[in-house]
Amino acid sequence: MSELQHKVIVGLEIHVQLCTKSKMFCGCAAEFGAEPNSRVCPVCLGMPGVLPVMNKQAFEYAVLVGLALNCRIAAFTKWDRKSYYYPDLPKNYQISQYDLPLSTNGYIEIPLESGRTKKVRITRAHLEEDAGKNLHTAGDFSQVDLNRTGTPLLEIVTEPDMSSGAEVRALAAELQRMVRFLGVSEADMQKGHMRFEPNINLVITKDGRQYKTPIVEIKNLNSFRALERSVDYEEQRQLDEFLETGEVMEMGNKTTRGWDDEREVTVLQREKEEAHDYRYFPEPDLVPVELTDAWLEEIRGRLCELPIKKQIRFVEQYKLSDYDAGVLTADRSTAEFFDEVVKAGGDPKRACNWVTQDGLRLAKERGCRVDELGISPQQVAELTNMIVMGDVSATAATAISDIMVTSPDLSARRIAEEHNLIQKSDADELEAIVDQVIAANPNAVEDVTSGGKKSKKARGFLLGQVMQKTRGQANPKVVSEILAKKLG
Amino acid sequence: MVTEELSARQLRDRIAAGQITSVEAAEAVFKRIEELEPVIGAYISTYHDRALETAADVDRRLIAGEPVGRLAGVPVAVKDNMCTTFGATTCASKILENFHAPYNATVVEKLLAADAVIVGKTNMDEFAMGSSTENSGLKQTVNPWDTTRVPGGSSGGSAAAVAARLCFAALGSDTGGSIRQPAGFCGVVGLKPTYGRVSRFGLVAYGSSLDQIGPVTRTVADSALMMNVIAGHDPADSTSVDEAAAPVCDYLEKLNEPLKKLKIAIVPEFGAGADEQVQKAMTEAIDVYKKLGAQIVEIDMPHLDYAIAAYYIIATAEASSNLARYDGVHYGHRSEKATDYVEVYSKSRAEAFGKEVKRRIMLGTYALSSGYYDAYYLKALKVRNLIRGDFTSAFEKCDCIMMPVSPTVAFKIGEKIDDPLQMYLSDIYTIAANLAGVPGISVPCGFDQNNLPIGLQILAPAFAEDKLLAIARMFEKETDWHTKMPAIIT
């Protein structure tokens, strides 16, 4: 039997819809879910005689992403027309960027399952306008909804640097987190804000020789799951196909496949890559954009610490687990709130627990962000320190948090005091109570001291009795210590 | 009284002075349209009731002492490739025959704001592609000086309407000579402003980097008046020039400032191909300037010979893309024979586009195709830059350049229609200004032996329309060519 190894190679093309107020080249609202053809004007409808005017905000958002992707930002960038006929494209050309995209040669750092990170090179990122949607729901006719026509899209192209479905998914998720952090896209998959097109092939080593399988492009994936599964599926399919046919990559044998979400298979769409001729040429209706140093610096000033950097810092600086740091950095406001709590003197581990548990729970209940609860980072910091000091129990802290939301002016300590939630940690006071309990429960004491099977349970019983006598305010840790001292 | 001698400016002044009412002016124009339009065919549509309403409103406001605009009560015409919310905007094409625009072009808004009375929309070569208006998909326009001849094109309807007094002034558009050449053929004044001086928003695009709207008028002063209304930056047109960089001035005010030490350049090599009578009129025109003290310098513009070749690649490339939207899907003609969406495209376009439009779409598509792009489109852009350079160095040596508008006078209807190359060559003198983006004007400078008008073309540096108009006015003051009228109207 011959020796055979293979490696899957994946590059991604990603379209990210930018969340500008208006469309890329006209004043129409860029909204999702409106009545079909209600967010349109002569410009995005491609009426005779109209002219596009560039949305400056979209351009700045695109530059911001370019900077976050460590790209070279072009000082001079222009627009081109990409021609193709389709009913959802009213001008029958798309305004895009061809040979002078606004950003090139960058990279994105993505987290791997091992806890390490990997750099994936970014070939380019450029701006373009989105097309409308063809709806095939009206029997014999197709209908066209042009609300989406002209919304700003950022097309990001990576180098083929990924080597598993999991890595591709990690990149997609990292990019989603990044654009959300930057506030340039809602990146909502269900609304089609992010769409993926992976290019996949295998490098197969067989009998000391290398073979590359033909490249397959999978069109229009709009969930992380479909993205990962389709890559995994392709890996196996291409391997099987190679073993059967031995076909290798050559000019013109790239194919296009679609993803069947129900059957979880890829389906052939175009046999051979058609000789696409988009007849690109410079868009004469728009002037090139010159990005001055001052303008670029102004945009750079809007960059924030990127999520992956924050995540790594949280692990290193605050000794959080990678998982916890990941939960905190899923969203910018949460991560920043956590950072503020720690800066206000809060205990990092307790602060993380509070944010990811009480904080996110309350935020979810109220349909807001953690920083919008009305609870200040200072209050949370105080609360975490009270937990560390043993002044309140974890259960009490939750109760305090619930009260804090409705009484934002009160400090954590004041709430704890007013509601009798301060934990009794005074050893002398507790010792007296422990003595009473020991005296009243000789059987249990017997079980503990005999050290038999029942010992653990009996110890718990005695602890419970102390807690009951103190109406839950005793610090269980202190009580346990006293019990241990007295009963061994 | 509204006479045929009146210019737009004179009419405006008389209306303002209460000597003529705006309604009288409009009625006089419509009376002439009734008489002559069946022969001339200048208009695709006219708006009698709407025009009279506007005119009545102007009269009412004048009587009430309310402020009125700079063209208050003046009957004007608009080429049918500028969008209007009233009536159709057809571009003289069957594909847009019933297209009603949902918005007004910026220039139309400006005319309305200036209280002009819009009489109608004028005929043209389909999508402004042509030099004779014979390519109109909707009707034939004839030259008022000789109804067996073409009015020139593509703004032939506008030029014929002004020459036949079917309006007092008109707007045309000029991509390769489409204002200047018909103005020359019809014995009127035609100005193509600097690219970016007048908003293109609402002008149905042919060659976007070349198209420019401008006035067709009876006198140079009327062109200045029209420029005062239409020039200026438009936020809706990114290619319209920022007025901080190139201020718009009062073109009428500067009109009669004679230019001292005027230096006129001629390009002897380039003008040589014109007909003898055209050359003779040119020489005489130059002599007029000489007598006024102008100095004539001979210059060489080595790349002008390649202007037509470069133009027919750039313009058609842009056109192939600009006209892609007329596909029968969203508006305009849709074939009834289509059975799937690809056929909606192919059949609608095959049925409704004219021959010349199809020819240019094919030329442009070819020029942009992969494998040919560098050899055609890219090379044409290089030529365009060289031509721009020719103008830049020329204007270091002179204030303006003079040459004929066209190598011939108006030709016979049908004479060149089957010979596209001959037709293209009739734009030889006008195309370079579009490639370079500089302004050019055509002024009447004589007649040939058949009493057909000849035009003098003057080209000036970018955004020097004030100077260009003043230079043209110097000539007009010394000559009476602009006062001649075609026999058909007298």
Side-chain angles (χ1 to χ4, degrees):
Chain A
M1 219 184 113
S2 59
E3 191 77 11
L4 189 139
Q5 287 176 316
H6 81 274
K7 189 184 169 194
V8 65
I9 294 176
V10 191
L12 260 186
E13 205 178 291
I14 309 142
H15 285 93
V16 180
Q17 188 177 314
L18 301 177
C19 58
T20 52
K21 281 190 206 77
S22 55
K23 293 184 178 182
M24 188 66 232
F25 297 112
C26 67
C28 288
E31 283 177 308
F32 177 86
E35 180 77 11
N37 298 311
S38 65
R39 298 294 181 269
V40 293
C41 73
V43 176
C44 56
L45 289 176
M47 287 280 177
V50 296
L51 298 170
V53 176
M54 184 189 83
N55 180 336
K56 200 177 159 198
Q57 190 184 37
F59 183 78
E60 291 181 345
Y61 279 5
V63 170
L64 200 55
V65 177
L67 288 169
L69 292 173
N70 309 291
C71 285
R72 198 181 70 77
I73 308 295
F76 179 94
T77 180
K78 70 173 175 72
W79 305 95
D80 299 280
R81 291 185 183 176
K82 177 182 181 178
S83 294
Y84 64 93
Y85 280 79
Y86 209 60
D88 66 7
L89 188 68
K91 301 190 297 293
N92 287 320
Y93 61 80
Q94 178 193 32
I95 304 177
S96 181
Q97 298 196 286
Y98 182 50
D99 55 346
L100 292 173
L102 64 87
S103 49
T104 50
N105 295 327
Y107 65 88
I108 181 171
E109 222 173 322
I110 60 168
L112 299 182
E113 277 164 6
S114 63
R116 297 163 62 153
T117 63
K118 172 175 179 168
K119 281 181 183 175
V120 173
R121 289 169 299 158
I122 302 293
T123 316
R124 59 186 282 163
H126 73 253
L127 258 179
E128 59 188 30
E129 54 175 349
D130 207 348
K133 272 182 195 160
N134 289 345
L135 309 168
H136 307 287
T137 49
D140 287 347
F141 292 90
S142 290
Q143 295 174 308
V144 186
D145 177 7
L146 297 177
N147 281 351
R148 200 180 67 182
T149 308
T151 48
L153 273 191
L154 187 66
E155 180 179 314
I156 301 166
V157 183
T158 80
E159 292 290 310
D161 287 351
M162 286 157 283
S163 48
S164 72
E167 274 185 28
V168 175
R169 183 188 188 131
L171 184 138
E174 190 54 41
L175 187 68
Q176 181 190 46
R177 189 161 70 146
M178 176 192 282
V179 294
R180 284 179 172 171
F181 254 64
L182 295 172
V184 301
S185 175
E186 292 170 36
D188 186 334
M189 300 293 162
Q190 276 162 359
K191 294 180 181 172
H193 292 164
M194 281 181 97
R195 311 196 283 272
F196 306 95
E197 288 172 357
N199 275 254
I200 307 158
N201 77 335
L202 305 183
V203 175
I204 294 169
T205 313
K206 188 183 167 196
D207 303 330
R209 280 192 63 189
Q210 268 202 354
Y211 304 89
K212 289 177 181 170
T213 58
I215 294 175
V216 167
E217 177 170 336
I218 306 175
K219 295 303 255 187
N220 249 330
L221 298 167
N222 50 15
S223 79
F224 291 153
R225 188 174 175 276
L227 180 60
E228 182 173 3
R229 299 247 173 151
S230 66
V231 171
D232 290 342
Y233 178 85
E234 257 319 292
E235 180 176 354
Q236 192 56 48
R237 193 197 63 77
Q238 288 189 26
L239 187 62
D240 294 346
E241 189 177 76
F242 174 78
L243 292 173
E244 198 183 310
T245 66
E247 190 184 0
V248 295
M249 181 170 88
E250 54 192 59
M251 281 290 281
N253 72 347
K254 176 176 168 179
T255 53
T256 303
R257 301 179 78 88
W259 175 245
D260 183 329
D261 225 355
E262 283 187 8
R263 288 163 52 218
E264 302 213 315
V265 295
T266 61
V267 185
L268 187 67
Q269 285 184 338
R270 272 205 302 265
E271 185 66 61
K272 298 281 177 220
E273 179 76 340
E274 280 167 21
H276 267 305
D277 189 351
Y278 291 120
R279 301 191 306 280
Y280 282 102
F281 79 104
E283 164 59 280
D285 288 335
L286 286 165
V287 287
V289 191
E290 285 180 57
L291 183 61
T292 60
D293 289 345
W295 190 12
L296 180 61
E297 289 317 306
E298 190 203 314
I299 299 168
R300 199 191 299 277
R302 294 179 223 167
L303 271 179
C304 57
E305 186 183 23
L306 295 177
I308 185 91
K309 296 281 182 211
K310 259 196 165 47
Q311 185 174 354
I312 293 168
R313 180 167 64 80
F314 286 177
V315 171
E316 287 175 356
Q317 193 178 341
Y318 302 139
K319 311 295 174 218
L320 302 181
S321 70
D322 194 48
Y323 175 80
D324 280 342
V327 175
L328 286 174
T329 52
D331 155 279
R332 182 173 172 178
S333 57
T334 309
E336 288 182 350
F337 187 82
F338 164 77
D339 236 354
E340 290 298 314
V341 173
V342 178
K343 274 186 201 151
D347 173 71
K349 181 64 196 162
R350 298 287 178 185
C352 169
N353 287 348
W354 188 90
V355 170
T356 57
Q357 290 160 26
D358 290 331
L360 287 177
R361 172 182 58 83
L362 288 167
K364 197 180 170 193
E365 282 168 14
R366 279 163 178 71
C368 68
R369 305 193 315 232
V370 172
D371 60 326
E372 291 168 340
L373 284 170
I375 300 175
S376 71
Q378 287 73 23
Q379 283 175 300
V380 179
E382 187 189 14
L383 185 58
T384 62
N385 290 327
M386 287 167 73
I387 300 170
V388 172
M389 298 301 287
D391 292 348
V392 291
S393 65
T395 324
T398 296
I400 293 167
S401 303
D402 288 351
I403 297 164
M404 256 191 309
V405 174
T406 48
S407 320
D409 299 333
L410 299 180
S411 72
R413 184 163 294 280
R414 175 98 183 269
I415 293 170
E417 283 167 1
E418 280 183 5
H419 292 81
N420 285 324
L421 293 167
I422 295 287
Q423 199 161 246
K424 285 191 168 56
S425 299
D426 182 77
D428 291 343
E429 193 184 333
L430 289 174
E431 198 168 334
I433 299 168
V434 171
D435 285 343
Q436 290 171 26
V437 169
I438 287 174
N441 297 284
N443 290 345
V445 172
E446 173 64 30
D447 285 345
V448 172
T449 46
S450 65
K453 268 190 194 170
K454 295 176 178 170
S455 167
K456 200 179 171 191
K457 200 179 167 192
R459 202 180 280 272
F461 172 76
L462 294 173
L463 175 63
Q465 290 298 303
V466 177
M467 296 307 287
Q468 208 170 32
K469 274 193 175 297
T470 57
R471 272 169 295 153
Q473 289 178 33
N475 183 336
K477 201 175 151 212
V478 177
V479 175
S480 296
E481 278 165 17
I482 297 168
L483 275 172
K485 194 176 77 187
K486 292 198 180 278
L487 304 176
Chain B
M1 222 186 85
V2 185
T3 65
E4 46 274 7
E5 280 83 20
L6 274 184
S7 72
R9 187 171 63 142
Q10 287 165 337
L11 176 71
R12 185 214 43 190
D13 291 346
R14 287 183 199 190
I15 290 171
Q19 294 161 338
I20 297 173
T21 68
S22 179
V23 168
E24 277 171 348
E27 278 173 346
V29 163
F30 278 103
K31 185 164 173 285
R32 201 180 293 283
I33 287 174
E34 205 181 297
E35 289 164 12
L36 293 184
E37 177 61 6
V39 184
I40 306 291
Y43 286 101
I44 288 175
S45 50
T46 52
Y47 302 105
H48 177 271
D49 296 354
R50 197 183 177 283
L52 266 295
E53 265 173 46
T54 312
D57 184 56
V58 169
D59 287 338
R60 183 192 59 73
R61 283 156 60 203
L62 281 168
I63 290 164
E66 290 170 25
V68 291
R70 298 206 230 206
L71 284 172
V74 177
V76 298
V78 174
K79 187 174 178 180
D80 209 21
N81 59 353
M82 297 172 210
C83 288
T84 51
T85 52
F86 47 91
T89 299
T90 69
C91 292
S93 179
K94 286 204 156 57
I95 212 155
L96 288 179
E97 194 168 0
N98 297 306
F99 174 72
H100 290 247
Y103 73 103
N104 279 327
T106 299
V107 287
V108 170
E109 287 290 342
K110 288 189 169 194
L111 286 180
L112 295 174
D115 295 315
V117 175
I118 298 178
V119 172
K121 311 263 308 264
T122 55
N123 196 23
M124 54 189 279
D125 286 297
E126 184 179 4
F127 285 104
M129 297 179 185
S131 310
S132 68
T133 312
E134 289 166 290
N135 294 331
S136 170
L138 303 181
K139 72 190 294 184
Q140 170 101 58
T141 302
V142 302
N143 193 314
W145 293 88
D146 177 346
T147 57
T148 67
R149 290 176 188 266
V150 301
S154 66
S155 310
S158 290
V162 171
R165 308 302 192 262
L166 305 179
C167 61
F168 277 79
L171 290 182
S173 68
D174 191 316
T175 307
S178 281
I179 287 174
R180 290 159 288 159
Q181 186 255 24
F185 277 15
C186 292
V188 294
V189 177
L191 170 67
K192 181 204 90 76
T194 311
Y195 184 78
R197 180 82 295 173
V198 178
S199 168
R200 292 188 294 119
F201 188 77
L203 169 68
V204 180
Y206 157 29
S208 310
S209 73
L210 303 154
D211 295 341
Q212 188 63 192
I213 292 171
V216 181
T217 58
R218 286 212 21 243
T219 66
V220 175
D222 285 356
S223 277
L225 172 62
M226 291 290 276
M227 282 299 285
N228 279 350
V229 172
I230 62 171
H233 175 68
D234 177 6
D237 177 359
S238 312
T239 64
S240 77
V241 172
D242 187 355
E243 284 172 40
V248 168
C249 59
D250 185 330
Y251 298 102
L252 262 179
E253 198 173 90
K254 288 198 153 189
L255 194 61
N256 289 308
E257 287 174 18
L259 284 116
K260 287 180 189 122
K261 293 185 183 167
L262 179 65
K263 259 194 194 173
I264 300 168
I266 53 170
V267 196
E269 292 284 311
F270 193 57
D275 280 3
E276 203 179 304
Q277 301 229 3
V278 171
Q279 290 200 41
K280 184 167 158 275
M282 270 293 296
T283 311
E284 287 168 8
I286 301 285
D287 284 342
V288 171
Y289 281 101
K290 276 188 193 160
K291 277 188 197 130
L292 290 169
Q295 187 195 335
I296 312 299
V297 289
E298 290 191 1
I299 58 163
D300 188 20
M301 296 179 76
H303 303 100
L304 290 194
D305 287 340
Y306 306 101
I308 287 193
Y311 171 87
Y312 276 97
I313 286 173
I314 294 168
T316 59
E318 291 176 0
S320 71
S321 160
N322 286 331
L323 272 63
R325 69 189 66 192
Y326 310 113
D327 59 7
V329 174
H330 302 277
Y331 51 81
H333 173 78
R334 179 188 291 187
S335 173
E336 288 173 2
K337 295 175 195 145
T339 56
D340 60 30
Y341 84 88
V342 174
E343 279 191 6
V344 172
Y345 296 151
S346 58
K347 293 211 156 109
S348 302
R349 289 164 71 83
E351 287 167 13
F353 279 144
K355 205 170 160 185
E356 183 61 25
V357 169
K358 285 177 187 165
R359 176 159 34 233
R360 293 195 194 191
I361 289 172
M362 284 190 278
L363 276 172
T365 304
Y366 186 83
L368 289 177
S369 297
S370 89
Y372 298 96
Y373 182 88
D374 290 4
Y376 293 99
Y377 188 75
L378 211 59
K379 193 169 253 180
L381 288 189
K382 286 176 186 163
V383 171
R384 184 177 192 171
N385 272 331
L386 292 171
I387 288 170
R388 279 202 188 107
D390 276 1
F391 276 97
T392 308
S393 36
F395 289 129
E396 283 163 9
K397 301 178 203 111
C398 65
D399 298 296
C400 67
I401 301 165
M402 290 190 187
M403 59 178 72
V405 173
S406 176
T408 67
V409 293
F411 43 87
K412 290 271 187 190
I413 291 167
E415 190 182 325
K416 297 187 180 180
I417 198 69
D418 296 323
D419 189 346
L421 271 184
Q422 273 307 306
M423 191 74 95
Y424 295 174
L425 283 170
S426 67
D427 296 332
I428 188 161
Y429 298 124
T430 47
I431 272 172
N434 298 82
L435 290 170
V438 301
I441 195 167
S442 166
V443 287
C445 74
F447 291 86
D448 78 345
Q449 72 274 35
N450 297 318
N451 201 37
L452 292 167
I454 297 169
L456 164 69
Q457 183 178 213
I458 314 170
L459 302 169
F463 302 105
E465 281 85 357
D466 51 343
K467 204 160 139 189
L468 180 64
L469 286 160
I471 295 167
R473 177 62 190 144
M474 285 167 72
F475 180 77
E476 197 183 58
K477 249 192 251 178
E478 298 299 314
T479 58
D480 63 356
W481 305 117
H482 64 287
T483 65
K484 307 283 187 208
M485 275 178 267
I488 197 168
I489 64 168
T490 48

